[in-house]
Amino acid sequence: SLSLSFPRPGRTFWNTWISCEEDNNRGRCYEVDPHTGYTMQTKVVDQGGNYESFAYDDADPDVEARFFTTEDSADGALVRYTPHPRAFATNNSYDILTTDNGSYDFLVLNADDGTFSWSTNRADGEASARALFPNSEGIDVHNRTLNFVSKKKQSLFTLDLEAGTWISSSTVSGAFDLQPDQLGRMIGDGVLYFCEDGGSGSDIHGRDVMTGQYYTIVTGDGYDSETTGLAFSPDNMFMYVAFQ
Protein backbone atom coordinates (compact mmCIF):
# COMPACT_ATOMS: atom_id res chain seq x y z
CA SER A 1 0.00 0.00 0.00
CA LEU A 2 1.09 3.57 -0.65
CA SER A 3 1.68 5.71 2.42
CA LEU A 4 2.25 9.39 1.78
CA SER A 5 2.82 12.45 3.93
CA PHE A 6 1.99 15.92 2.66
CA PRO A 7 3.88 18.63 4.56
CA ARG A 8 2.91 22.30 4.63
CA PRO A 9 2.53 23.62 1.05
CA GLY A 10 4.41 26.65 -0.20
CA ARG A 11 2.87 29.51 -2.11
CA THR A 12 4.01 30.84 -5.49
CA PHE A 13 4.04 34.52 -6.40
CA TRP A 14 1.17 33.90 -8.85
CA ASN A 15 -1.00 32.58 -6.01
CA THR A 16 -0.94 28.84 -6.53
CA TRP A 17 0.35 26.32 -4.00
CA ILE A 18 3.09 23.71 -4.16
CA SER A 19 2.34 20.55 -2.21
CA CYS A 20 5.42 18.50 -1.37
CA GLU A 21 5.20 14.73 -1.07
CA GLU A 22 7.22 12.50 1.27
CA ASP A 23 7.46 9.03 -0.21
CA ASN A 24 11.09 7.92 -0.23
CA ASN A 25 12.23 7.68 -3.86
CA ARG A 26 8.77 8.40 -5.31
CA GLY A 27 7.83 11.70 -3.66
CA ARG A 28 7.36 14.71 -5.94
CA CYS A 29 6.00 18.27 -5.75
CA TYR A 30 2.67 19.31 -7.25
CA GLU A 31 1.21 22.69 -8.15
CA VAL A 32 -2.41 23.29 -7.16
CA ASP A 33 -4.58 26.28 -8.04
CA PRO A 34 -7.48 26.38 -5.56
CA HIS A 35 -9.33 28.87 -7.77
CA THR A 36 -9.40 26.80 -10.96
CA GLY A 37 -8.76 23.23 -9.82
CA TYR A 38 -5.53 23.02 -11.84
CA THR A 39 -3.18 20.31 -10.51
CA MET A 40 0.11 19.25 -12.08
CA GLN A 41 3.41 17.64 -11.11
CA THR A 42 6.14 20.27 -11.24
CA LYS A 43 9.81 20.14 -12.16
CA VAL A 44 11.09 21.86 -9.00
CA VAL A 45 12.90 18.67 -7.92
CA ASP A 46 15.06 16.44 -10.08
CA GLN A 47 14.16 13.04 -8.59
CA GLY A 48 11.84 11.37 -6.11
CA GLY A 49 12.33 11.97 -2.39
CA ASN A 50 10.95 12.93 1.00
CA TYR A 51 10.23 16.54 0.07
CA GLU A 52 9.10 18.83 2.80
CA SER A 53 8.80 22.54 2.02
CA PHE A 54 8.94 25.01 -0.86
CA ALA A 55 9.83 28.70 -1.19
CA TYR A 56 10.76 31.14 -3.94
CA ASP A 57 13.01 34.14 -4.54
CA ASP A 58 11.74 36.54 -7.21
CA ALA A 59 14.24 39.28 -6.34
CA ASP A 60 17.37 37.67 -7.81
CA PRO A 61 18.86 40.22 -10.23
CA ASP A 62 20.21 37.50 -12.51
CA VAL A 63 17.02 35.56 -13.27
CA GLU A 64 13.24 35.95 -13.21
CA ALA A 65 12.92 33.69 -10.15
CA ARG A 66 14.41 30.70 -8.37
CA PHE A 67 12.63 28.02 -6.34
CA PHE A 68 13.85 26.08 -3.30
CA THR A 69 12.77 22.73 -1.85
CA THR A 70 13.89 20.94 1.33
CA GLU A 71 14.02 17.20 1.90
CA ASP A 72 13.39 15.38 5.18
CA SER A 73 16.14 12.78 4.84
CA ALA A 74 19.49 12.28 6.52
CA ASP A 75 21.20 13.31 3.28
CA GLY A 76 18.34 15.36 1.84
CA ALA A 77 19.89 18.04 -0.37
CA LEU A 78 18.37 21.51 -0.48
CA VAL A 79 17.38 21.92 -4.14
CA ARG A 80 17.46 25.21 -6.05
CA TYR A 81 15.49 25.12 -9.30
CA THR A 82 15.85 27.78 -12.01
CA PRO A 83 13.28 27.52 -14.82
CA HIS A 84 14.37 27.95 -18.42
CA PRO A 85 13.86 31.56 -19.59
CA ARG A 86 11.16 30.49 -22.02
CA ALA A 87 9.06 29.27 -19.08
CA PHE A 88 8.39 32.93 -18.26
CA ALA A 89 7.71 33.97 -21.88
CA THR A 90 4.41 32.20 -22.51
CA ASN A 91 2.17 34.55 -20.49
CA ASN A 92 0.84 31.44 -18.74
CA SER A 93 1.98 31.13 -15.12
CA TYR A 94 1.27 27.41 -15.14
CA ASP A 95 4.23 26.99 -17.52
CA ILE A 96 6.79 28.38 -15.07
CA LEU A 97 7.26 25.16 -13.11
CA THR A 98 6.40 22.66 -15.84
CA THR A 99 8.53 23.76 -18.82
CA ASP A 100 11.47 21.53 -19.74
CA ASN A 101 15.19 22.35 -19.53
CA GLY A 102 15.31 24.18 -16.21
CA SER A 103 18.45 23.75 -14.10
CA TYR A 104 19.09 22.22 -10.68
CA ASP A 105 21.66 23.25 -8.10
CA PHE A 106 22.27 21.92 -4.60
CA LEU A 107 23.28 23.84 -1.51
CA VAL A 108 26.82 23.34 -0.19
CA LEU A 109 27.71 25.04 3.10
CA ASN A 110 31.34 25.82 3.86
CA ALA A 111 31.80 25.45 7.61
CA ASP A 112 35.31 26.92 7.55
CA ASP A 113 34.52 30.46 6.44
CA GLY A 114 30.72 30.75 6.65
CA THR A 115 30.16 30.92 2.91
CA PHE A 116 27.97 28.77 0.70
CA SER A 117 27.80 27.76 -2.94
CA TRP A 118 25.47 25.95 -5.31
CA SER A 119 26.74 22.80 -6.96
CA THR A 120 25.29 21.14 -10.05
CA ASN A 121 26.32 17.82 -8.52
CA ARG A 122 23.58 16.37 -6.31
CA ALA A 123 26.16 14.27 -4.43
CA ASP A 124 27.84 17.47 -3.20
CA GLY A 125 24.54 18.73 -1.83
CA GLU A 126 23.78 15.41 -0.17
CA ALA A 127 27.20 15.33 1.49
CA SER A 128 26.72 18.84 2.83
CA ALA A 129 23.27 17.97 4.17
CA ARG A 130 24.55 14.80 5.81
CA ALA A 131 27.29 16.72 7.59
CA LEU A 132 25.55 19.97 8.52
CA PHE A 133 21.77 20.02 7.97
CA PRO A 134 20.23 16.53 7.93
CA ASN A 135 16.44 16.23 7.76
CA SER A 136 15.70 19.77 6.65
CA GLU A 137 12.11 20.91 7.03
CA GLY A 138 10.60 24.39 6.88
CA ILE A 139 11.96 27.05 4.52
CA ASP A 140 11.25 30.75 4.03
CA VAL A 141 12.68 33.39 1.70
CA HIS A 142 12.13 37.10 2.31
CA ASN A 143 14.15 40.11 1.16
CA ARG A 144 16.90 37.85 -0.21
CA THR A 145 17.32 36.06 3.12
CA LEU A 146 16.69 32.33 3.11
CA ASN A 147 15.86 30.59 6.39
CA PHE A 148 15.48 26.85 6.80
CA VAL A 149 15.65 24.38 9.68
CA SER A 150 17.23 21.02 10.36
CA LYS A 151 15.03 19.10 12.74
CA LYS A 152 17.77 16.60 13.59
CA LYS A 153 20.23 19.36 14.50
CA GLN A 154 17.48 21.50 16.09
CA SER A 155 18.98 24.42 14.21
CA LEU A 156 17.93 27.40 12.13
CA PHE A 157 20.12 28.21 9.12
CA THR A 158 20.08 31.75 7.70
CA LEU A 159 21.56 32.41 4.25
CA ASP A 160 22.27 35.87 2.86
CA LEU A 161 21.57 35.23 -0.81
CA GLU A 162 23.28 38.49 -1.84
CA ALA A 163 26.48 38.08 0.16
CA GLY A 164 26.79 34.30 -0.15
CA THR A 165 27.22 33.85 3.61
CA TRP A 166 25.39 31.80 6.24
CA ILE A 167 25.00 31.42 9.97
CA SER A 168 23.22 28.87 12.14
CA SER A 169 21.71 28.98 15.60
CA SER A 170 19.99 26.58 17.95
CA THR A 171 16.20 26.60 18.06
CA VAL A 172 16.17 25.17 21.59
CA SER A 173 14.75 27.89 23.83
CA GLY A 174 12.39 27.54 26.78
CA ALA A 175 9.31 25.55 25.79
CA PHE A 176 10.73 25.15 22.28
CA ASP A 177 12.61 22.00 23.28
CA LEU A 178 11.59 19.55 20.54
CA GLN A 179 12.29 19.58 16.81
CA PRO A 180 11.67 22.60 14.56
CA ASP A 181 9.37 21.79 11.67
CA GLN A 182 7.51 24.13 9.32
CA LEU A 183 8.15 27.87 9.01
CA GLY A 184 5.67 30.68 8.40
CA ARG A 185 5.70 34.45 8.15
CA MET A 186 3.29 37.37 8.21
CA ILE A 187 4.88 40.05 6.05
CA GLY A 188 5.72 43.13 8.08
CA ASP A 189 5.51 41.83 11.65
CA GLY A 190 9.18 40.87 12.00
CA VAL A 191 8.49 37.38 13.33
CA LEU A 192 9.41 33.97 11.92
CA TYR A 193 6.92 31.34 13.10
CA PHE A 194 7.80 27.69 13.79
CA CYS A 195 5.80 24.50 14.02
CA GLU A 196 7.23 21.80 16.30
CA ASP A 197 7.59 18.02 16.07
CA GLY A 198 8.93 15.28 18.28
CA GLY A 199 6.10 14.11 20.49
CA SER A 200 3.50 15.40 22.91
CA GLY A 201 3.64 19.04 23.87
CA SER A 202 4.52 20.31 20.39
CA ASP A 203 3.75 24.02 20.15
CA ILE A 204 3.82 27.04 17.84
CA HIS A 205 6.73 29.39 18.51
CA GLY A 206 7.88 32.74 17.18
CA ARG A 207 11.34 34.23 16.75
CA ASP A 208 11.95 37.96 16.57
CA VAL A 209 14.12 38.29 13.46
CA MET A 210 15.91 41.36 14.83
CA THR A 211 16.80 40.13 18.32
CA GLY A 212 16.69 36.35 17.88
CA GLN A 213 14.44 36.02 20.92
CA TYR A 214 12.01 33.07 20.93
CA TYR A 215 8.60 32.95 22.54
CA THR A 216 5.73 30.49 22.58
CA ILE A 217 2.43 31.47 20.94
CA VAL A 218 0.28 28.31 21.05
CA THR A 219 0.85 25.39 23.41
CA GLY A 220 0.08 21.81 22.44
CA ASP A 221 -0.75 20.49 25.89
CA GLY A 222 -2.98 17.44 25.61
CA TYR A 223 -1.99 16.61 22.04
CA ASP A 224 0.33 13.73 21.26
CA SER A 225 1.87 14.80 17.96
CA GLU A 226 3.31 17.61 15.88
CA THR A 227 1.90 20.99 14.93
CA THR A 228 1.53 21.55 11.21
CA GLY A 229 -0.41 23.39 8.52
CA LEU A 230 0.49 26.83 9.85
CA ALA A 231 -1.34 29.55 7.93
CA PHE A 232 -2.69 33.07 8.39
CA SER A 233 -5.85 34.80 7.22
CA PRO A 234 -5.43 37.38 4.40
CA ASP A 235 -5.90 40.23 6.90
CA ASN A 236 -3.39 38.62 9.33
CA MET A 237 -5.99 38.64 12.09
CA PHE A 238 -6.17 34.86 12.50
CA MET A 239 -3.63 32.04 12.73
CA TYR A 240 -4.56 28.51 11.73
CA VAL A 241 -2.73 25.37 12.83
CA ALA A 242 -3.38 21.63 12.92
CA PHE A 243 -2.27 18.99 15.41
CA GLN A 244 -1.33 16.00 13.27
Side-chain angles (χ1 to χ4, degrees), residues 73-78 107 122-136 150 152-153:
S73 297
D75 61 352
L78 196 157
L107 177 65
R122 170 175 270 277
D124 292 339
E126 291 174 345
S128 186
R130 190 182 305 112
L132 295 171
F133 54 94
N135 301 92
S136 57
S150 163
K152 187 170 184 178
K153 295 285 189 179

Side-chain angles (χ1 to χ4, degrees), residues 69-178:
T69 308
T70 59
E71 184 177 0
D72 183 8
S73 297
D75 61 352
L78 196 157
V79 183
R80 184 182 73 172
Y81 175 66
T82 306
H84 192 278
R86 69 169 177 267
F88 298 96
T90 66
N91 295 318
N92 182 351
S93 295
Y94 295 155
D95 292 335
I96 295 175
L97 300 181
T98 57
T99 298
D100 291 335
N101 298 318
S103 61
Y104 299 95
D105 302 287
F106 307 93
L107 177 65
V108 176
L109 299 181
N110 187 331
D112 295 328
D113 63 4
T115 63
F116 67 87
S117 60
W118 297 97
S119 174
T120 57
N121 186 345
R122 170 175 270 277
D124 292 339
E126 291 174 345
S128 186
R130 190 182 305 112
L132 295 171
F133 54 94
N135 301 92
S136 57
E137 295 263 347
I139 188 169
D140 174 82
V141 179
H142 181 61
N143 288 341
R144 308 247 50 221
T145 297
L146 186 155
N147 288 289
F148 74 98
V149 295
S150 163
K151 71 178 184 183
K152 187 170 184 178
K153 295 285 189 179
Q154 292 180 283
S155 295
L156 171 69
F157 293 80
T158 301
L159 279 58
D160 185 328
L161 296 176
E162 288 282 359
T165 58
W166 67 278
I167 58 174
S168 66
S169 59
S170 173
T171 59
V172 178
S173 176
F176 196 177
D177 55 356
L178 300 176

Side-chain angles (χ1 to χ4, degrees), residues 20-99:
C20 298
E21 186 179 57
E22 288 186 89
D23 187 31
N24 297 317
N25 64 349
R26 293 185 292 182
R28 293 287 180 170
C29 298
Y30 297 84
E31 182 175 10
V32 178
D33 189 334
H35 305 289
T36 67
Y38 170 85
T39 303
M40 185 63 64
Q41 181 176 312
T42 71
K43 297 183 180 296
V44 299
V45 293
D46 59 317
Q47 64 180 39
N50 290 313
Y51 297 110
E52 185 70 25
S53 299
F54 167 93
Y56 68 85
D57 175 21
D58 63 348
D60 190 314
D62 298 325
V63 295
E64 290 281 349
R66 299 189 197 272
F67 303 87
F68 305 89
T69 308
T70 59
E71 184 177 0
D72 183 8
S73 297
D75 61 352
L78 196 157
V79 183
R80 184 182 73 172
Y81 175 66
T82 306
H84 192 278
R86 69 169 177 267
F88 298 96
T90 66
N91 295 318
N92 182 351
S93 295
Y94 295 155
D95 292 335
I96 295 175
L97 300 181
T98 57
T99 298

